[in-house]
Structure formats: structure tokens, C-alpha cells
Amino acid sequence: MIRLVKLCGWVLFGFLTAASAIALETELTEKSNPMDRLADFVKSGRNRTEPIPDDIKEDLGKWLDEENRKRRASYSDPMLPPWQYRPDIPRASMGWRMGPGEDYIMDFLNWYRALSVEQQQIYAKGHPEPNDWDGFLSSILPKAE
């Protein structure tokens, strides 16, 4: 919004033509990170009366998907169990729910649950749980109905 006001001011004072101002605003919008666009939307106060525009939602979803893909690609295969990935974070720590371990534990849960029962058993034998993590791997499996 602020950029658009500045651009409109430049047009009024003859620094830019209307067409070049529109082209510049389009270029800024196309090049900006969706998080920046969302922040600009919120800073403008429009979020109080308008829903988040669909183009920002879509671009933000794509951006988050790409960031998640890059993060997951950096993990070893097979993934390390949480107690080996971050031995500095105890099992019951908030660090697994918010903070440095949050993304990893969620990705680990999804990865482990996607393994076959046989693969889970092989993984569990190869990565024994320390005493303070005892029962973790069995606790993250979906409950049988």
C-alpha cells in the first residue's frame, strides 16, 4: 500500500508515467516474498476488514511447501531418531513442540508412520531408545481400532 501511494505520488509530480508506475508496482509484487506481501497486507490494516487475498494465500502455500521440501531434503535417510538428532533436547521438553525440534519431530513422526510394520521393527532394533525415551516409538504409532 505504501509503495503504491509513493508510486502514485511520483506520477502526480511527473517522475513516472502512470504506465511505468503500474509496471514498477507489478514488478515489486511479482518479485516480493509472499511473507513480505502478507506483512504489507497486515501492516496496511486491510486485514481488519478484508480476507487475505487469494494470490497471497496461494503464493504463501507454494513458498511454505518449497521451504518444507528443502528442509526435509537435508535429513539423512533413514532419519535419525529424535534422541540422536538433538540429544540436547529431553523427551518432554517444549523444544519438540515449539523451537528447534518442532519441525524435525513432526517430519520424523510422518516418516516413521509411513514405514511398514517390518521396517519399523528393523528401525527400532537399529536405534534403541535410551531410558528417558523408552516407549517413544511405540507411542507414536496410530492406535488400532
Side-chain angles (χ1 to χ4, degrees):
M1 182 70 170
I2 292 171
R3 283 185 276 199
L4 187 57
V5 170
K6 285 181 183 176
L7 292 173
C8 289
W10 291 342
V11 170
L12 289 174
F13 291 108
F15 294 120
L16 293 171
T17 66
S20 60
I22 291 169
L24 183 57
E25 178 61 19
T26 301
E27 184 179 327
L28 288 171
T29 302
E30 288 174 358
K31 289 184 177 180
S32 66
N33 176 314
M35 289 295 287
D36 293 337
R37 291 175 40 221
L38 179 61
D40 288 345
F41 177 77
V42 172
K43 287 177 191 174
S44 74
R46 290 176 38 212
N47 63 309
R48 294 185 193 117
T49 58
E50 302 172 31
I52 297 171
D54 289 340
D55 64 315
I56 293 177
K57 285 183 192 177
E58 290 170 17
D59 291 348
L60 190 56
K62 290 175 188 173
W63 180 79
L64 287 171
D65 288 344
E66 179 61 19
E67 291 300 309
N68 288 335
R69 188 198 61 72
K70 285 191 263 184
R71 184 187 69 249
R72 290 180 188 123
S74 71
Y75 299 148
S76 63
D77 185 25
M79 290 182 74
L80 291 173
W83 56 88
Q84 289 179 350
Y85 180 74
R86 290 298 304 257
D88 58 317
I89 304 177
R91 179 179 180 178
S93 170
M94 284 298 292
W96 295 115
R97 292 186 272 309
M98 54 190 292
E102 180 181 13
D103 289 334
Y104 190 82
I105 197 83
M106 294 307 297
D107 291 336
F108 180 82
L109 294 175
N110 291 329
W111 173 82
Y112 188 77
R113 288 174 179 161
L115 298 176
S116 69
V117 173
E118 182 182 359
Q119 290 170 320
Q120 290 171 350
Q121 291 169 345
I122 292 168
Y123 185 85
K125 285 179 186 170
H127 299 88
E129 299 166 327
N131 289 339
D132 53 336
W133 285 84
D134 189 40
F136 172 76
L137 292 175
S138 61
S139 74
I140 64 175
L141 295 175
K143 305 287 186 246
E145 294 184 27

